[in-house]
């Protein structure tokens, strides 16, 4: 009976250790991400004509830019923190405000999944939420050369 209890305890311990979700690490989100849309084919994504570009730097700096006619205008910048599965960003909108009346704003990105350089998020901005899919932009995506 003692052996059965010991084996059950060890099995329970193994299950609890290996079934825990790994916390979101800064290394997993660091980089340049582009907004994409899911197509009818599974695992196939397309970029909108003017996609948003999200940059998460190692030093917790965040940038958000909008593409237009081949140029990306980075009009939002701020700092981000990680709390479990959520990226919290405090930012300033540099384009739509004047220097004297700029106020810090907050947005949060709940990471629903992150695999194969695809990050699925639930964005909470002010009083509304919406889903977002980002694809990590590798150097091969931009200039044809591998990193």
């Amino acid at each position: 009976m003692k052996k059965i209890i010991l084996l059950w305890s060890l099995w329970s311990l193994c299950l609890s250790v290996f079934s825990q979700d790994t916390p979101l690490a800064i290394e997993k989100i660091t980089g340049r991400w582009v907004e994409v849309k899911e197509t009818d084919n599974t695992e196939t994504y397309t970029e909108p004509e003017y996609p948003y570009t999200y940059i998460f730097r190692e030093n917790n700096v965040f940038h958000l830019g909008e593409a237009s006619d081949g140029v990306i205008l980075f009009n939002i910048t701020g700092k981000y923190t990680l709390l479990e599965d959520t990226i919290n960003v405090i930012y300033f909108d540099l384009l739509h405000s004047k220097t004297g009346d700029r106020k810090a704003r907050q947005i949060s990105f709940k990471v629903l999944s992150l695999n194969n350089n695809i990050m699925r998020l639930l964005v909470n901005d002010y009083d509304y939420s919406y889903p977002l899919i980002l694809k990590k932009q590798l150097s091969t995506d931009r200039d044809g050369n591998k990193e």
Side-chain angles (χ1 to χ4, degrees), residues 19-107:
S19 67
Q20 290 178 354
D21 291 333
T22 57
L24 189 60
I26 196 167
E27 296 83 25
K28 292 181 180 179
I29 65 163
T30 299
R32 184 181 191 134
W33 298 82
V34 178
E35 178 183 15
V36 293
K37 303 290 182 198
E38 197 165 26
T39 64
D40 293 335
N41 298 335
T42 57
E43 303 297 319
T44 305
Y45 305 92
T46 61
E47 285 185 20
E49 185 177 0
Y50 299 115
Y52 285 98
T53 300
Y54 298 74
I55 297 177
F56 297 96
R57 297 190 184 273
E58 297 93 11
N59 60 357
N60 294 88
V61 172
F62 169 78
H63 299 286
L64 172 62
E66 186 176 355
S68 178
D69 297 325
V71 176
I72 301 174
L73 177 61
F74 288 98
N75 58 336
I76 292 179
T77 190
K79 288 278 202 176
Y80 72 92
T81 56
L82 294 177
L83 182 60
E84 295 180 7
D85 63 348
T86 303
I87 306 165
N88 294 306
V89 178
I90 304 290
Y91 70 92
F92 291 96
D93 187 341
L94 303 175
L95 186 63
H96 298 108
S97 62
K98 296 179 184 174
T99 304
D101 65 353
R102 281 195 188 127
K103 293 182 182 172
R105 299 176 186 247
Q106 183 173 352
I107 188 170

